[in-house]
Amino acid sequence: VQLAHNFFTGPLPCPPQPEAQLELLSVSQNRFSGHRQLPCLFSRAPRLRSLHLDYLKLDGEIPSEIKEAAQLRELHADHAGLRGQLPAGMRCLTQLESLSLGRNALDGTVPQLVVDGMTNLRELTLSFNGFSGAIPSIPASHTKFRHLLLDHNAFSGDFATQLSSFAANLLAGGDAYSTISLDHNDLSGSIPPVVYGMIHDARGMGAGYAPTSWHLSMVENHLLCAPGPGREWPLWVLRAGSDFFGKCTPVAKPRRLAAPAGQDGVRKALQQRVGGGPARPPVLVGGREPTLLTVEGEDFEPSAELRCRLTPAPSSGLSTLTVGALFESQSSVKCPLPAETPPGNYMLSVANYGEDFYSVQTAGAEFYTPVPLVLSRDRVEAEFGVLTTGEILGAVVGALAGLVLIVCLLCALCVLIAREKRGAPLFYEMPADGGRVRRPGLPDDDSGLSVHELQMQVSIDPHAR
């Protein structure tokens, strides 16, 4: 039944009873509306092989009854007003070869079991929807699969493995004309090298076809630049042509920790070891309230996926902690650490997107600089750090020596005060003209001693008055 490109209105036509002879129904580009008749199209046409519902106003979800259309080979419903998620029952469409649901309001993830069940699938088009999560894997059993169009969605994460079987089947021979459209998503990670083979292998995407007859697009994503200080694609991507991939995204590079607001537990004075040794990691003191840690660095981006990660030492037995981060600028982010974060030694890293955390792999071994952090529940430890035995002994000896010096000075001061009270000061005022020194405690008519007599008397009797 061909009713496409007309002005029919009202609900979708549906057989009043099971119709075993109906194999094709095309009602695209009409004014049919409503989705109430969709279930009966699948349940009352057991031999339906091709269904075209493009450019309608169905305004509803794909019904679960779709699983009854086991003979369906084509389902095209682009711009049809569909919403909601793909029902799990679609895995029963084992004969389906072409599924095109672009430009709708579908959302959620693409269930892997649905794709796995469509063993004869050749084309999957889900462009211009609201799908999220990881892109589905194309199983090795899908030997006929050639066209994957998932552009203009919100798919995220890397796709290092999802295309491996697709590429293997493509390079195995046969009709190699194919399409991969993943642009305008939130994909991250590095471009898998398997893509290079799909482009340049003699049996790859464009084998035997003009360059304009096949399509590859991954622009407007967050795919990583090559490790290193620059912001360029890996060499193999540049050789393949960066037009396929757009602009790369540099990895977030944390460099140092700044003192959190109101957190006096950050060790500032002991950023260097005692004696001027190598720099030590800053120590934060935990508490009952979350700690807002400020991280300074480069290439931070205002991403909804911006996260901080604390990776503990392997021997500590602690778990890795990942928290959402707050963007301040390209050179500063804030990491809110929960109050229950266990104390210990950590390495801090930041990711703008997905799992692209700052590491040796993403930054390059020659350019990676670790950012260590010690988290403590003890404010004393936070102020002085986790010192080595030598540092502890040196600090103790220095503190004792200073204490002894202070005690000696206090004793001397007490002696001076006591002698002054007894009228026997240690020091006498010497007349400037060399006259006689007045001795305390003598009558007023006593002339005192001359300076020479006083010096002689003191030398004989140090306690003389």
Side-chain angles (χ1 to χ4, degrees):
V1 178
Q2 290 275 10
L3 300 177
H5 302 280
N6 282 288
F7 296 95
F8 292 113
T9 60
L12 286 172
C14 181
Q17 58 187 7
E19 180 54 69
Q21 302 302 316
L22 182 61
E23 296 186 358
L24 184 149
L25 177 63
S26 177
V27 294
S28 299
Q29 295 189 355
N30 276 280
R31 296 180 181 177
F32 293 120
S33 60
H35 64 283
R36 297 183 180 275
Q37 301 297 324
L38 273 178
C40 80
L41 281 178
F42 299 124
S43 60
R44 296 182 184 177
R47 297 186 60 183
L48 187 65
R49 296 163 60 92
S50 181
L51 179 61
H52 293 244
L53 304 172
D54 305 296
Y55 291 91
L56 299 178
K57 296 181 180 180
L58 301 180
D59 190 27
E61 300 180 356
I62 301 174
S64 59
E65 287 81 359
I66 194 173
K67 63 184 178 183
E68 300 180 30
Q71 300 301 314
L72 199 62
R73 299 199 176 194
E74 283 185 344
L75 175 57
H76 291 183
D78 294 305
H79 213 302
L82 295 173
R83 50 183 168 79
Q85 302 183 8
L86 298 181
M90 293 183 71
R91 69 181 184 276
C92 300
L93 306 182
T94 58
Q95 302 300 315
L96 194 65
E97 297 178 358
S98 178
L99 176 63
S100 183
L101 301 175
R103 295 182 182 275
N104 284 288
L106 299 169
D107 55 22
T109 61
V110 178
Q112 187 61 48
L113 59 87
V114 169
V115 179
D116 292 345
M118 301 176 181
T119 54
N120 283 288
L121 197 62
R122 182 180 179 84
E123 173 190 351
L124 177 62
T125 301
L126 301 175
S127 305
F128 290 93
N129 278 285
F131 289 108
S132 58
I135 68 172
S137 297
I138 306 303
S141 58
H142 292 38
T143 56
K144 299 178 182 179
F145 193 85
R146 291 295 180 268
H147 305 284
L148 180 65
L149 292 89
L150 304 177
D151 55 283
H152 293 84
N153 279 281
F155 289 109
S156 59
D158 61 47
F159 54 103
T161 60
Q162 289 93 319
L163 301 180
S164 299
S165 297
F166 178 23
N169 290 333
L170 189 64
L171 301 180
D175 182 9
Y177 165 56
S178 56
T179 304
I180 297 179
S181 183
L182 303 176
D183 56 282
H184 292 83
N185 279 286
D186 294 320
L187 297 174
S188 56
S190 301
I191 300 176
V194 68
V195 175
Y196 180 80
M198 296 174 71
I199 298 173
H200 289 283
D201 192 278
R203 297 163 295 174
M205 295 180 65
Y209 294 89
T212 57
S213 64
W214 57 275
H215 181 73
L216 170 67
S217 179
M218 297 183 183
V219 301
E220 295 296 330
N221 280 287
H222 312 296
L223 303 174
L224 279 179
C225 299
R231 300 181 181 181
E232 295 291 342
W233 289 111
L235 290 178
W236 74 265
V237 173
L238 296 176
R239 288 195 294 266
S242 59
D243 291 343
F244 295 128
F245 308 104
K247 183 179 179 181
C248 67
T249 301
V251 66
K253 303 178 183 65
R255 299 301 189 195
R256 67 191 66 85
L257 301 174
Q263 177 64 269
D264 59 359
V266 177
R267 176 160 46 84
K268 302 175 183 177
L270 288 180
Q271 288 290 324
Q272 300 289 326
R273 286 185 183 270
V274 176
R280 305 203 52 207
V283 180
L284 291 179
V285 60
R288 297 180 180 178
E289 299 296 330
T291 299
L292 195 59
L293 178 64
T294 301
V295 182
E296 297 176 347
E298 305 168 21
D299 297 323
F300 298 131
E301 296 196 4
S303 161
E305 301 179 54
L306 185 65
R307 294 181 296 166
C308 298
R309 173 169 290 176
L310 297 183
T311 304
S315 59
S316 66
L318 300 175
S319 300
T320 299
L321 174 67
T322 304
V323 296
L326 306 175
F327 177 83
E328 285 193 318
S329 67
Q330 288 186 334
S331 59
S332 177
V333 297
K334 288 187 179 296
C335 303
L337 303 184
E340 63 273 13
T341 305
N345 298 313
Y346 295 91
M347 288 294 178
L348 184 139
S349 57
V350 178
N352 288 321
Y353 303 97
E355 294 297 315
D356 296 341
F357 285 94
Y358 180 68
S359 65
V360 174
Q361 291 73 26
T362 58
E366 298 180 6
F367 308 99
Y368 173 72
T369 303
V371 183
L373 167 67
V374 177
L375 182 64
S376 170
R377 292 295 184 205
D378 186 353
R379 186 168 296 276
V380 174
E381 180 186 344
E383 291 294 336
F384 296 101
V386 184
L387 304 178
T388 64
T389 302
E391 291 174 330
I392 294 174
L393 291 176
V396 170
V397 171
L400 290 176
L403 182 61
V404 170
L405 179 60
I406 292 173
V407 170
C408 292
L409 292 175
L410 289 176
C411 291
L413 181 60
C414 292
V415 171
L416 288 175
I417 294 174
R419 292 184 65 92
E420 287 287 348
K421 289 182 177 180
R422 295 199 310 265
L426 288 178
F427 307 99
Y428 293 96
E429 182 180 358
M430 298 295 181
D433 57 359
R436 305 186 72 82
V437 178
R438 178 73 179 177
R439 293 187 298 178
L442 295 180
D444 293 340
D445 60 350
D446 186 85
S447 60
L449 300 173
S450 67
V451 174
H452 178 71
E453 292 172 339
L454 180 62
Q455 290 174 344
M456 292 296 294
Q457 184 171 342
V458 171
S459 65
I460 297 173
D461 182 8
H463 299 289
R465 296 185 60 189

